[in-house]
Amino acid sequence: MTWGLEFDQSKKKKGPVTCLGIVFESDEERRAYFTEELRKKLPELKHIEGFPKARDEDILALSDPPYYTACPNPFLPQIVEEWEKESPQDDEPYLREPYASDVSEGKNDPIYNAHSYHTKVPHKAIMRYILHYTNPGDIVFDGFAGTGMTGVAAQLCGDRKTVESLGYRVEKDGTILSNEEDESVWKPISKLGVRHAILNDLSPAASFIAYNYNTPTDPHLFQEQAEHVLHDVEKECGWMYATLPSYATQEQREKALAALRQNPQTILEDTSLPWAKINYTVWSDVFVCPNCSHEIIFWDAAVNKEQGKVLDEFPCPSCGVELTKKKLERAWVTEYDDAIHETVRHAKQVPVLINYSIGKRREDKTPDDFDMALLEAINNQPIPYWFPTDRMPEGEESRRNDPLGITHVHQFYTKRNLLLLMATATPCQGNKINPTIPCFWITSSMIRTSKLYKFTLDRKMGTVSGTLYLPSLWTENSSLKLLYSKINDLSLSVPIRKWDVAHSTAPFSSFTDFSNILDYIFLDPPFGSNIMYSELNFLWEAWLKVFTNNGPEAVVNKAQKKTLEDYQLLMTKSFEAAYRMLKPGRWMTVEFSNTQTAVWNAITQAIQQAGFVIANVSALDKQQGSFKAVTTTTAVRQDLVISAYKPSETMNEQMTVTAGQNAGIWTFVDEHLRHLPVFLGKRGQAQIIEERKPRQIYDRLVAYYVSRGWPLPILTSGDFQSELIRRYPVRDGMVFMEDQVAEYDQKKMLVKELLQADLFVSNESTAIEWIRQRLMSKPQSYQNLQPDFMKAIQHLEKYESLPELMELLEQNFLKYDGEEEMPEQIVSYLRANYHNFRGTEVTSEMRQKAKGFWYVPDPRKAADLEKLRERDLWREFEHYLEDAKTSSKRLKTCRSEALKVGFKRLWTEQKYADIILVGDKLPPGLVHDDIFLSQFVNNAKSLMR
């Protein structure tokens, strides 16, 4: 079956077409030529891991080569070569800070809503990143492309109106201005112009949707042809969505029933009857009362229509016993499924409400005798068209409905919706036209016309995101009505340019033909066990006849026997491919959507293991929570965005030469500081930049060395911080390059408030940072600090052995004794908050007031404290090491900070076996949930293999 509409050839644009340097007489000739070239290459492409599961003819029918192939795309090298020739030359050195502003973009956009998908980043959010990091003509890559919003964003970077809708200003010469920091000052940030995009996804369904989102068509021609097809389909199938309004007379009902029994397909010819069109039908589960064995229709028993809610407890309509849904057993139906030639048993469901239109009015009714007879007549109709009957694959989501008897693809649809969808698709058979928007039109309606579409009493219907959940009350939307409405949606969402986007269906890690060619990478990868893409996409792929090969799918999945470690390994391979393809000094943005700390650590460790250096983490608010995001305590409401860069060739060369030597440290620090934001602030407020704190810089340095298997320089954290503040200027606890600090000082003068990041205390490290934040804003006594501290540590990790507050204060902070010179931060605090101390010299009264106040030491004293603290933590770690050597039992609790100090020293001494020994005796959750520990343990195991 070939997808696409039978467009009127006389209305299709004619003329020569140039593609990859070859001139063709028409676009059809171009497609035929490259399809044959793809056919020749298929035997070789099949050796690539993750090659889709499909017949050659189905892959070729779905592809539109050279720019889109439903398999690994062999034409990408030629496409990239052509793009590079066309790219404008820019001799200016490339230097960008990470895009550290939080992004908020809604989903109420015709482009976004044209086709559903399990997760989707709004294209306007991605546009902000692309405009920040790239220039017109640059090549952008998305290896987990999903619906292809990165390609849409790359193209719309050349559309003035869309760019201005983001709040930017566009000059006549194409310069894009922003006023993010100061609303009165507009600064140039980018240039108007299309960027090229390479979109790849392992799923054939995803890459197909992405291709259609990014390949233009004539919206007027599409609308005309689609309406023509639907007009014919409505003549054939419109009777299936006919009903009589609730005010119809008994005589009219009997007349309609008689016509239905005589010939269902001609009932609408009787214009004397007040026919109405069904918009949707609500279906309800049927259960059996455990007390009286009578059937209970869930809609009738559990739904309070007046109050608009589903009751948790309700009486049996027959015997009156109080019931809950969990106490009920299902009613079952056994019938013959002629599509798979088997007798099947499935959960019983019945129609309970019909919403219909007559004229411009919409009304509800309870299904009557005619409606039930109509459904029986439809079910007796054979479907004269091909439709998918594939068995759902192994998997928790894909097989979740097996207990309900929904085991095959076609069983997710009612007979009439299935018949109408295929009646619409069938005119495409034998079509030689490029299968673009027409197929997209049909697949965009497939989920909303399935039994997955839940009914809610507030009429805000939809699917349960990220699942194949079949609800007890579901909505059978009219396929006919939905396809008509989708025509308008797709007409508004067609892309603006052609051939600026190339597509491929392949594992991310299979990209081995490219090196240092990409200007920017945006990724929204799978996150652990959040969403099982290959299982959810099976419904679409069964219609397309090309299926995901889930071997290299990066997920945590019991059915696929993939653990968190397998997931991390697959993600590392993907990021290694990204690192290889990205130009040195360029950026990668990774969106993260999973609150499981272990998954976060697996992602960040995979990024660092591949060679990237993380420079910033900020928030992306998509303005809409998924089902899991709003019903579980561990789900995120905002996605996090990781900004990471590929080090310059100069840095990599110098670091390789000086690996293990202290000289290499400052090469890293110089480059890292260049890649950090200098100032974050808006509307009179400035933010502390966490990545510029000495401890964070040291952690990034350690991660860089450990990810490469290099021995750590012989320099403790305390020594590092001492030397760091000697070499670089420090402001507000943050480290800067000499030429950066002047910019920071200038901008800081214009703000009134310095904000700290919100902090969730889960272990010793975050507890110390919590105390630091409190003391930075208000030096105070132990007695004043202690009550809030006890509240803050209520959610510690179960394996964390946290020292008392006093011990944390003594190891990390200083206390004013009332005799020594009063620290400036205490003086400033007293003068700002006590009227009688303003403008005075330091007096005995002030000293007495401040006596016993704990405060954050200046960086030099902090470095000295760090040395003492590491000494004590090493002593603690020695006990863990001794226990690991002499006992077979796991440690139940421990100080994670002591483990960090111990692992760093063992790594420096190249005692990898001891790291593994201690790591194996720690609670598994502790290692998974702490990236600092897991990277030491995992890399030590790699080196010992």
Side-chain angles (χ1 to χ4, degrees), residues 115-159:
H115 202 298
S116 63
Y117 200 64
H118 325 296
T119 59
K120 196 189 301 184
V121 180
H123 64 278
K124 288 186 176 180
I126 305 174
M127 283 180 68
R128 296 183 184 275
Y129 295 105
I130 295 177
L131 289 170
H132 176 81
Y133 288 116
T134 68
N135 299 311
D138 280 355
I139 301 176
V140 176
F141 177 78
D142 188 344
F144 301 99
T147 58
M149 291 297 102
T150 299
V152 173
Q155 296 194 71
L156 288 175
C157 284
D159 183 73

Side-chain angles (χ1 to χ4, degrees), residues 164-175:
E164 289 176 338
S165 74
L166 301 177
Y168 298 134
R169 198 166 77 195
V170 183
E171 303 286 85
K172 290 182 178 180
D173 66 353
T175 301

Side-chain angles (χ1 to χ4, degrees), residues 67 79-80 82-88 130 134-142 150-151 154-155 193-199 497-502 518-520:
Y67 289 93
I79 295 170
V80 170
E82 186 175 83
W83 285 346
E84 289 181 322
K85 289 178 183 178
E86 298 171 353
S87 180
I130 295 177
T134 68
N135 299 311
D138 280 355
I139 301 176
V140 176
F141 177 78
D142 188 344
T150 299
Q155 296 194 71
V194 170
R195 280 70 167 165
H196 303 295
I198 299 175
L199 305 180
R497 291 177 63 89
K498 190 171 186 178
W499 304 142
D500 287 311
V501 181
L518 301 178
D519 297 289
Y520 173 62

Side-chain angles (χ1 to χ4, degrees), residues 582-597:
L582 189 64
K583 292 177 181 177
R586 298 298 182 119
W587 288 89
M588 175 178 72
T589 299
V590 181
E591 187 200 356
F592 177 85
S593 181
N594 188 315
T595 53
Q596 293 183 22
T597 310

Side-chain angles (χ1 to χ4, degrees), residues 132 352 532 543 806:
H132 176 81
V352 292
M532 300 295 110
W543 294 76
M806 183 58 73

Side-chain angles (χ1 to χ4, degrees), residues 133-363:
Y133 288 116
T134 68
N135 299 311
D138 280 355
I139 301 176
V140 176
F141 177 78
D142 188 344
F144 301 99
T147 58
M149 291 297 102
T150 299
V152 173
Q155 296 194 71
L156 288 175
C157 284
D159 183 73
R160 180 183 295 267
K161 184 178 180 180
T162 306
V163 172
E164 289 176 338
S165 74
L166 301 177
Y168 298 134
R169 198 166 77 195
V170 183
E171 303 286 85
K172 290 182 178 180
D173 66 353
T175 301
I176 300 173
L177 307 177
S178 173
N179 66 345
E180 289 183 2
E181 292 180 4
D182 185 341
E183 293 185 353
S184 63
V185 179
W186 290 83
K187 295 185 177 180
I189 61 161
S190 190
K191 279 278 190 179
L192 189 70
V194 170
R195 280 70 167 165
H196 303 295
I198 299 175
L199 305 180
N200 175 75
D201 201 284
L202 183 66
S203 164
S207 63
F208 172 78
I209 296 169
Y211 159 71
N212 280 282
Y213 255 124
N214 286 278
T215 302
T217 190
D218 182 334
H220 303 294
L221 179 59
F222 160 69
Q223 185 169 0
E224 178 185 333
Q225 297 297 317
E227 288 177 352
H228 175 73
V229 168
L230 267 191
H231 179 71
D232 289 344
V233 170
E234 188 170 10
K235 287 182 179 178
E236 178 187 351
C237 303
W239 63 273
M240 298 181 187
Y241 300 94
T243 188
L244 293 172
S246 54
Y247 59 78
T249 65
Q250 183 62 30
E251 181 182 355
Q252 289 172 329
R253 296 179 192 282
E254 290 176 357
K255 186 177 182 182
L257 274 170
L260 182 66
R261 295 189 187 101
Q262 184 174 359
N263 187 349
Q265 298 180 19
T266 62
I267 58 174
L268 295 179
E269 294 177 5
D270 187 346
T271 57
S272 67
L273 293 173
W275 294 112
K277 291 184 178 181
I278 294 175
N279 299 314
Y280 60 83
T281 302
V282 180
W283 291 72
S284 170
D285 276 343
V286 180
F287 297 98
V288 175
C289 175
N291 186 56
C292 67
S293 299
H294 277 73
E295 286 191 351
I296 299 174
I297 298 175
F298 188 70
W299 170 264
D300 294 337
V303 177
N304 188 315
K305 287 81 173 177
E306 289 74 24
Q307 296 181 7
K309 65 179 183 179
V310 178
L311 304 175
D312 293 328
E313 295 186 0
F314 47 88
C316 170
S318 178
C319 67
V321 68
E322 283 295 312
L323 299 169
T324 65
K325 187 176 176 181
K326 290 183 178 179
K327 293 179 181 178
L328 296 172
E329 296 180 359
R330 290 187 176 275
W332 294 91
V333 173
T334 301
E335 59 187 9
Y336 184 74
D337 187 335
D338 56 5
I340 56 176
H341 308 294
E342 292 180 10
T343 298
V344 298
R345 181 174 181 263
H346 60 82
K348 185 175 182 179
Q349 295 176 320
V350 295
V352 292
L353 181 142
I354 293 175
N355 179 272
Y356 62 89
S357 292
I358 184 163
K360 294 184 178 180
R361 295 201 318 274
R362 288 174 66 111
E363 296 181 1

